[in-house]
Amino acid sequence: MSATTPSSPSLTDSDIIRLAQSCAPIPSSLLSTQSHPTLLSYLTSRSQSSSPSQPVSDYTLSLLSLISQSPQTHSLSTLLSSLLLSYTHLFTSFKIPHDPNSLKTLQLFHTLLPHVPTTHLPQIIEPILSFLPQITDSENAQILDLLPRCLSLIRNSDEVERGGHVVSSVLDQILELNWSKGLLIKMVSIVRDFPVLDKLRAREFVDKVFDGMSSLDLQDLPSLVYQLLVLASKGFVKKDVIEGIVMFFGSKMERKKASSIVRQVEGTVLLHVNFAVKQDPSLGQEVVGLVKSDLRAFNHFTVAVLLSVSRVRRFGEASVGALKMAILTAYRDYKFAKECKWIPDDMKEEYLHNVKVVEKAMLRAVNESNYGREHIVPSILQFAFVLLESVEEGNHKELCNLSGLVGIEELAIQMLKAIFVAHDMARNEIIEQCKFRILSLKPEQSMVIIRLLSNLAQSYPYPMLEHVSRLKELLDYFTFMHGKVAAQLVTALLPLIKFSRDLKDYTILVMRKAMFRREDTIRLAATNAVIDLILAEKQSKKDDLLSFQESSSQASSSQQSEIPYNVGGGLFQELSGLLQRCLYQPANVKEVMYHGLVKLVLMDPSSGGAVFDFLLPHFLHFFKEDADVQLGISCCIKSESGKAYVEEPLDCLLSCVSWMLLLQPNGKTEKALNSSWACLGFSLSQENEVGRNSSADSFYSSFLKIRKSLRNQNIEGIFGQTQDGGSSSFEDNKRKCSAFVLSGIIEVLVNAIATELDKASDRTKLDLEKELIQFVELHHSLNKDTCFSSKSTAVRKGSTRTPAHDIPNNINSSHSKEMQGRISFFATSSIYQILQTLLRLLDTDYSNNVEASQMHSQSTSKTSKCSSEFISFVLNVSLSHIKSSLLLRNEDPLRTLIYGEIKILGSPLLKLISLFKSGPKLVMDQKKKEAKGKKDVGRMEHLHLALICLKELIMICSNSDLTGLLEDMVSISTLQDADLETECERASRIEDPHIRSKELFILKTLNPLFSELLAVSLFGEVEIICDLILMIGGKLPCQLRNSHGAWAISLCKNNEIKNTKVGKSVVTLAISLSSPPNDLAISQDMARELLQVIGSEGDTPEEVSEIYPLINHQTSSAINSCILHIVEAVVVDMDWAIKRLKTFSLVSQKGIHLNQNSEESPELAFEENLYARAEAVVKVLSSFVSMSLNDMQAEHVLRLTARFYKHLAQISKLRIAPKGCKQIFPSLKFQKLVEVTCKELTVPLYIFMEIMQKKQQENANKKGIINRIKRENRCIPDLIFQIEDYEKYLIQLSKVTKVNLLRHAKRSTARDFRIKLNEESREEENAPSPEAIPDNMNAVENESAEDLDDNEGNASERVLSPDYINSPPAVEDSGSDNEDGDDHPPSAKRLKRVNRVVEDSEDEA
């Protein structure tokens, strides 16, 4: 040995390299530990060279190659450890370059790590940890490849003391450091090789990664995300990885400039996500679940991810469904929060913000779909059409307009329009989907798709022209569509018809075929389509003419003279034959055509001549100039199957002709006509009479003759010609139809006279007023024959003319509106003139009444009679006109022509109301009681009708210009109550004009009207005033609304009103205009007073409440139902609130961070508000279950209480934390709610049900009792189930929180609901002896509520009825294992047990 020892160092570094290259065996010197320092010194010396990379790498690799031949040898393993430690120091001190050579060396070290002594590994890890802050790029991070294996060896070794603690300490040090870009990328790539991380450290690691991703270069992001997805697919905190990805690209990437590169990077990431979901479907479930659990995770990238995931067949429906639910939930939540009074304002703003975020995210995701994410385009198309199908007609539109939101329908249309523009290949699919859905969906849903088609045609006509063939295929189904859909389809295609002669000709061909169909709806749709085609052509020529005039500074006279000819012909002339066929169609088709011709003349007045020429031959069938009776009313009436109907709407024809005459150019006929029809702007002249009369002149002349003839004609003479032989009922029906047409003609003439009044001189006004009254009397004489009553049969074949009060409030298209209702024959300006005339006549009439009251003048009574008829006519016409304004859309040109500024009717109506209100005072001074009674009845009817007109007018204007209407009426209000002057002065200083006008109108008009009408017991009119106050006052801010609520409360306390409807209306005002929590506090007070008036079982009721005289025997039932209705609305609110509470609970349980300051979080405030509302409901219901109610009211209370307990059970269930989550201690508000419910509601509720059953037994033989018992047999078991379900969750919550929530539930009282068997039923059912039941009851009563924590099952038995002792409680099994058990009905055993209680009670009777 001594000879060999000196020769050991003879191996130089070059020798080592040569030996390794020659694959020589291990030299003996390497096996000696004495040579190790020398070998390590070679490494140090080589690192000091000018280019150390290759020398160090060659030597280290050679030495490792020799060591690898026998690495398990102790001396070699020690050399390996020392070599690795030295190389680590050189690498971390930057003494050697970090390049491919160093990477190759470290990889070889990695393979030999298991042979390094485990006790030496912590020394190797220490310099690596110290080096982590210096890592800046991927080359510096090469040495980190050693770290995971070192930690794994330490963790799995028994040689290192507390190896697990060492590993945890190293991981904690790594997580505490600030990671550079290079370190972050490296850590993501090696984290999968680390020893198993617990969830807490794994989540901390993911958070650190996503926090540092903002500093990475864009090109590094896709690969990093892919590595994270690979980690997630291996079970590495999937939810946190998915949430981190969508939140990073959805929010944190906003800080980077939104360039095309960023969008391309996002597109690549989407492809990675799509591929990862295909490989691991659980990742797709996490994506869908993230959106469902919390809307705050919703952003544009979340949308893109869901759309990308939906391309995976397994997640197609789930992803689209999650997106749809998120959007619909956002809109519904905001709609509910906006209307809910007890939700905090900051929470309402949050819901509004959520909707805006959803809209913005959807539109951005779609707009960026052409940046490397074309694979999601089919998903966008699918989702957009799904959204369109989910649109509820008219829903959310008003809300969106007020809040500046886009709306579901417009959002989907904008998405499809963006795809239509950006992706040529998607256009075919969009058109095909539109075609398929229009033909397959319901009419209401099809209308939404047609609006999309209309948008595309208007915005992108030229790209749409490429798909004319498909649109023609769609038109082939015209005759098989719903009439409304068919008409709107042609309207939607009009912008394309302007550019495509082929489409235009094909549409006309389809319309010609449709005219021969038997279905009235198809013929109506075809008529509408033909009119729309003509109007579209006129508008196109008009636009072309305007553009030509702008491009040419001057036009020749010949060009100007040719313009009327060109415009007057065209499509109208071409389709005149088709329109001629319309004249032989049913009345409703003719009406549509007549109104369409008015639109044509309104658009192009020069077309009037051609239209008059078209109509005149048809009109002459019903007008004979030489006959004594010029109007052939009998020709308008036809009979079929023994029933008469109107075939020709002559009144509509004359009305439309009168409108067209008004629209004629003045230059053509101003000199030609000069007569009393100045209202039409024309007069007859000798110049035109000499030459050939035009069609317009013939119509003018005919109108004058009709007007003169009807003024002097005997009505019986006209009707006499219609009475042929036949049954009297048939003749009566025929007379009704004739009177119907004639009354419409009279209205047309009255409209003309009213228009003339505006321009007439003072001398001619008297004659016109006299003529007006004559026509009104004529119209009144027809009232007994007209068929406005519900008893009359169909007047017009194909479509009944709907009375104004039956007009639907929400009709979609103008065409369908014309079919379903009657457009007014009056102009708003004409009705205004008639109202002004009526006001003048009433002023004169009232003054004459006072002057003639002492003269016993009979002429006065005659004048009053005429005025009464005139008043009724004017008010009925006004009401019909106001209601019929809903029949036309705002963009319909006829609406502007006929209805105009309808708000101008408000002031004269209010003046009329003031006159009618003060009228009885004049009559009170008269001596004649009979005349006074008749006048009072007529005046009160007029007052009632005027108030209805005003109410309808305010409702119509509430969506447009309510402020202008109210300001006009406030300006004429005369306040006579000095007590309100201060409040009016305060209200006049309100800056917001909308709020100021509403407040002043209530103070100066409605409140005084209410007091005056109530003083004279005009209860029907008072009810209308209450409706107006509620309608207007409900839109005021909280403080002002509360002031009106306080005014209504004072009415309840100071007035003993015995009218049921007024009492109910005033109570509704008091509660509805009071802000929470005052609304339910008032309900509690009134419920207690109702209990005193109605009385409980065995108590003597009071006649009138001392606190609220409004509550008395006459009004108690109505007020009872009113308060129950309000409580029911609160219970409905609770249903929505619990869903939101469940969302908050899921978010907190799944670790999605809410507000850090939980004490001030809006979620906590929302929860506390919900508990307070529920507690108030308990106190209100506690009074009702103590009342002696009739059967219907008792059943209503039972059903309402069952729903309430169901919500309480859901609330209690949400308080129980699921497995793995921290149990939260129940709040004091919740504990108080449980206490109040047990003490004040549950206990008396069982007594209430027992009393109900006793009444059933006592009244078992009465008529109808069996049906009521059957209904109660359904609601009582449900109520018992809901109560026990609620208490079941309270027991579970008590057990996990160690708080006895049922300490106030007295078993002996609360569960005194026992089976009572008579002798016969005991023998039949072999029941135990009667003594057994009290023994069982005593056993239950002696149980203490404090023992419920010992045994949950036993506690559940104790809270059940005695019958449950003999059988296990099934409900206990169903609750704890089923998350959705709160909606399940009672089990079969429970239903059988509970039904026995009721059945046995029946047997006792």
Side-chain angles (χ1 to χ4, degrees), residues 447 483-492 494 521 524-533 535 588 591-593 595-596 599 799 811-821 823 887-889 892-894:
M447 293 301 298
K484 180 174 62 175
V485 175
Q488 286 298 311
L489 175 61
V490 177
T491 304
L494 289 178
T521 56
L524 278 170
T527 305
N528 279 314
V530 170
I531 295 296
D532 288 341
L533 283 171
L535 293 177
N588 52 359
E591 287 186 3
V592 170
M593 186 191 69
H595 289 122
K599 295 178 185 178
S799 177
I811 308 173
N812 298 319
S813 69
S814 62
H815 301 313
S816 63
K817 290 172 182 176
E818 292 170 3
M819 298 174 201
Q820 298 180 27
I823 296 177
L887 298 174
L888 298 176
R889 296 175 299 178
D892 196 311
L894 285 183

Side-chain angles (χ1 to χ4, degrees), residues 539-594:
Q539 185 63 46
S540 175
K541 289 185 177 182
K542 189 176 181 179
D543 295 340
D544 293 342
L545 178 62
L546 291 176
S547 62
F548 175 77
Q549 290 177 348
E550 291 176 358
S551 62
S552 176
S553 59
Q554 293 182 351
S556 65
S557 60
S558 61
Q559 288 175 324
Q560 293 177 359
S561 64
E562 289 176 357
I563 289 174
Y565 173 78
N566 291 334
V567 178
L571 200 55
F572 173 74
Q573 202 71 28
E574 181 181 342
L575 298 179
S576 59
L578 193 56
L579 293 176
Q580 282 286 348
R581 180 167 179 80
C582 294
L583 297 175
Y584 298 94
Q585 300 290 334
N588 52 359
V589 177
K590 295 177 184 178
E591 287 186 3
V592 170
M593 186 191 69
Y594 294 154

Side-chain angles (χ1 to χ4, degrees), residues 705-765:
K705 293 177 181 179
I706 292 172
R707 179 172 172 179
K708 182 178 180 181
S709 174
L710 287 180
R711 191 166 63 243
N712 303 319
Q713 181 66 42
N714 183 7
I715 298 301
E716 295 299 329
I718 299 177
F719 288 169
Q721 297 181 1
T722 67
Q723 295 182 359
D724 303 324
S727 62
S728 59
S729 61
F730 173 75
E731 292 300 329
D732 290 342
N733 193 15
K734 195 172 183 180
R735 184 181 178 90
K736 287 179 181 180
C737 294
S738 300
F740 180 83
V741 175
L742 186 57
S743 63
I745 295 173
I746 293 173
E747 290 178 10
V748 174
L749 298 176
V750 170
N751 178 62
I753 297 173
T755 310
E756 189 176 348
L757 277 170
D758 187 27
K759 301 178 181 179
S761 61
D762 295 337
R763 187 170 59 180
T764 57
K765 274 188 178 181

Side-chain angles (χ1 to χ4, degrees), residues 1115-1187:
T1115 60
S1116 59
S1117 180
I1119 296 176
N1120 189 322
S1121 64
C1122 174
I1123 296 178
L1124 283 178
H1125 177 73
I1126 292 172
V1127 171
E1128 189 171 8
V1130 177
V1131 174
V1132 172
D1133 291 351
M1134 287 181 62
D1135 186 25
W1136 175 87
I1138 291 172
K1139 293 177 182 177
R1140 302 281 68 76
L1141 197 63
K1142 185 176 182 179
T1143 302
F1144 299 152
S1145 176
L1146 290 174
V1147 168
S1148 60
Q1149 290 166 4
K1150 291 188 176 183
I1152 300 177
H1153 301 293
L1154 302 176
N1155 194 327
Q1156 296 297 328
N1157 187 4
S1158 59
E1159 296 182 357
E1160 299 179 0
S1161 64
E1163 291 80 10
L1164 182 61
F1166 175 80
E1167 185 177 348
E1168 297 294 316
N1169 284 343
L1170 176 61
Y1171 295 156
R1173 298 292 284 181
E1175 182 182 342
V1177 169
V1178 169
K1179 294 180 179 179
V1180 175
L1181 290 177
S1182 64
S1183 297
F1184 280 93
V1185 297
S1186 301
M1187 295 180 192

Side-chain angles (χ1 to χ4, degrees), residues 52-69:
S53 176
Q54 191 66 40
V56 171
S57 176
D58 291 343
Y59 175 73
T60 307
L61 291 174
S62 299
L63 190 57
L64 288 176
S65 175
L66 295 175
I67 295 174
S68 63
Q69 296 182 20

Side-chain angles (χ1 to χ4, degrees), residues 863-1125:
T863 305
S864 298
K865 181 179 179 181
C866 295
S867 297
S868 178
E869 297 169 355
F870 188 64
I871 293 170
S872 298
F873 172 81
V874 174
L875 292 177
N876 279 298
V877 165
S878 299
L879 180 60
S880 176
H881 182 80
I882 292 170
K883 285 192 171 184
S884 65
S885 64
L886 292 171
L887 298 174
L888 298 176
R889 296 175 299 178
N890 291 332
E891 60 269 20
D892 196 311
L894 285 183
R895 181 177 181 86
T896 305
L897 176 66
I898 297 175
Y899 296 100
E901 292 291 332
I902 200 169
K903 69 176 183 178
I904 64 173
L905 301 181
S907 298
L909 282 174
L910 188 59
K911 291 178 181 178
L912 278 177
I913 292 171
S914 179
L915 283 175
F916 295 148
K917 172 178 61 68
S918 59
K921 297 179 181 179
L922 298 175
V923 181
M924 291 294 289
D925 298 334
Q926 298 181 9
K927 302 295 184 179
K928 298 181 178 179
K929 301 294 183 180
E930 295 181 0
K932 166 183 162 301
K934 292 180 181 179
K935 292 179 180 180
D936 282 350
V937 171
R939 186 173 288 108
M940 293 309 102
E941 291 177 353
H942 299 155
L943 175 60
H944 187 82
L945 192 55
L947 285 171
I948 291 178
C949 290
L950 183 62
K951 177 184 175 182
E952 292 294 332
L953 181 62
I954 291 176
M955 290 174 63
I956 294 295
C957 295
S958 60
N959 296 328
S960 54
D961 191 15
L962 180 60
T963 301
L965 172 64
L966 297 182
E967 287 177 348
D968 292 343
M969 292 191 289
V970 167
S971 63
I972 63 171
S973 298
T974 56
L975 182 64
Q976 299 177 355
D977 192 348
D979 298 335
L980 295 176
E981 289 184 359
T982 304
E983 296 185 21
C984 290
E985 290 180 2
R986 174 182 51 80
S988 62
R989 292 193 292 269
I990 298 176
E991 295 183 0
D992 192 333
H994 305 290
I995 299 176
R996 182 176 63 246
S997 61
K998 294 183 180 69
E999 178 72 4
L1000 286 175
F1001 183 67
I1002 294 177
L1003 292 176
K1004 299 183 67 174
T1005 304
L1006 297 182
N1007 287 356
L1009 264 179
F1010 178 93
S1011 303
E1012 294 178 15
L1013 296 176
L1014 183 62
V1016 294
S1017 301
L1018 297 179
F1019 298 120
E1021 289 71 23
V1022 171
E1023 188 180 358
I1024 297 175
I1025 298 298
C1026 289
D1027 292 341
L1028 287 173
I1029 294 176
L1030 184 61
M1031 184 195 315
I1032 299 174
K1035 299 179 180 180
L1036 290 173
C1038 179
Q1039 184 178 0
L1040 296 177
R1041 189 170 62 244
N1042 286 335
S1043 65
H1044 297 298
W1047 172 79
I1049 295 172
S1050 66
L1051 291 175
C1052 298
K1053 293 182 177 180
N1054 300 325
N1055 294 274
E1056 185 178 349
I1057 300 174
K1058 296 186 177 181
N1059 183 273
T1060 56
K1061 292 184 178 180
V1062 174
K1064 184 177 181 179
S1065 298
V1066 175
V1067 169
T1068 303
L1069 273 181
I1071 298 176
S1072 300
L1073 295 182
S1074 299
S1075 299
N1078 294 335
D1079 55 347
L1080 288 182
I1082 298 167
S1083 300
Q1084 295 172 30
D1085 295 341
M1086 291 189 174
R1088 283 192 292 265
E1089 295 303 311
L1090 272 174
L1091 177 60
Q1092 300 298 323
V1093 173
I1094 296 177
S1096 57
E1097 191 69 19
D1099 294 341
T1100 303
E1102 299 178 357
E1103 284 290 334
V1104 180
S1105 168
E1106 295 182 359
I1107 300 177
Y1108 295 101
L1110 182 76
I1111 302 175
N1112 48 65
H1113 275 301
Q1114 287 80 4
T1115 60
S1116 59
S1117 180
I1119 296 176
N1120 189 322
S1121 64
C1122 174
I1123 296 178
L1124 283 178
H1125 177 73

